[in-house]
Amino acid sequence: KAGVTQTPRYLIKTRGQQVTLSCSPISGHRSVSWYQQTPGQGLQFLFEYFSETQRNKGNFPGRFSGRQFSNSRSEMNVSTLELGDSALYLCASSSQQLSYEQYFGPGTRLTVT
Amino acid sequence: DAKTTQPNSMESNEEEPVHLPCNHSTISGTDYIHWYRQLPSQGPEYVIHGLTSNVNNRMASLAIAEDRKSSTLILHRATLRDAAVYYCILWRRGGATNKLIFGTGTLLAVQP
């Protein structure tokens, strides 16, 4: 079974631009969560979706948004990029609404210049 | 959210057992203890979880103290591929969310 895929794997953007990252969960998984990883703050939770509904949101500004489609694929969008948004963005999927085990993708490395 | 405390780093020799400790003194009765690890340049990977009893799987064993205020992840024979950051996480099933709160983790170095 294919794992979680994230596209693109690497991205360079300029401050003030916006970016959309994509996550395709494991087939049959309906729960998708997003995390931001930086050297200074570590892994931080962004938001979580289940069956197209956002269930939970972390402490990030409104510039960070996401959505989930009926096929469980998810996108996250960051508008008005800042230098501090440079990070590895990770997506995780699980099969159930509440799951003991989550599967992470390889991440998208975003660099903002 | 309940907090976990782990050593920043540990070292082990290849083919020797490794015991990675985690303190979670504020754990509540509905908190599960999860372990994930992150290999270099990869996303985190689920290792094991438990509630009260010790657990074994193909990757590792989890030993949970009787009062549940601490736990230990045991890698029975470390290999070079086990070099990673190991995260101990408390997950509250009653919280109706899959959200994981990662701490700083323990960076495990494995020497040949």
Side-chain angles (χ1 to χ4, degrees), chain A residues 31 35 37 48 99-100 102, chain B residues 34 36 38 44 46 97-98 100:
Chain A
S31 171
Y35 294 83
Q37 185 170 29
E48 172 191 10
S99 179
Y100 300 119
Q102 296 191 50
Chain B
H34 285 224
Y36 279 75
Q38 188 172 20
Y46 167 82
T97 174
N98 283 327
L100 296 173

Side-chain angles (χ1 to χ4, degrees), chain A residues 5-102:
Chain A
T5 57
Q6 293 188 244
T7 55
R9 291 292 311 279
Y10 302 91
L11 202 49
I12 300 175
K13 288 286 190 179
T14 303
R15 196 169 42 182
Q17 289 186 314
Q18 77 161 16
V19 67
T20 299
L21 311 181
S22 180
C23 170
S24 292
I26 292 172
S27 177
H29 285 197
R30 294 163 62 193
S31 171
V32 173
S33 300
W34 287 89
Y35 294 83
Q36 181 197 64
Q37 185 170 29
T38 60
Q41 300 297 318
L43 273 153
Q44 292 187 284
F45 171 79
L46 277 158
F47 24 67
E48 172 191 10
Y49 290 88
F50 182 80
S51 293
E52 301 178 68
T53 301
Q54 187 180 86
R55 291 203 298 174
N56 208 343
K57 191 175 191 306
N59 294 327
F60 280 81
R63 300 184 297 107
F64 291 81
S65 63
R67 58 179 176 169
Q68 186 180 32
F69 301 96
S70 58
N71 62 358
S72 294
R73 190 177 70 84
S74 177
E75 287 181 347
M76 69 162 279
N77 183 278
V78 187
S79 62
T80 320
L81 283 165
E82 300 177 0
L83 296 179
D85 297 332
S86 294
L88 180 66
Y89 290 88
L90 291 155
C91 159
S93 79
S94 55
S95 59
Q96 300 174 35
Q97 189 168 4
L98 294 176
S99 179
Y100 300 119
E101 185 173 353
Q102 296 191 50

Side-chain angles (χ1 to χ4, degrees), chain B residues 30-67:
Chain B
T30 54
D31 286 338
Y32 285 78
I33 302 157
H34 285 224
W35 284 82
Y36 279 75
R37 73 178 185 180
Q38 188 172 20
L39 280 65
S41 303
Q42 294 188 28
E45 171 188 36
Y46 167 82
V47 177
I48 200 168
H49 79 276
L51 184 61
T52 55
S53 306
N54 294 345
V55 185
N56 300 298
N57 67 19
R58 62 174 179 82
M59 288 181 71
S61 296
L62 176 60
I64 302 172
E66 201 169 324
D67 63 5

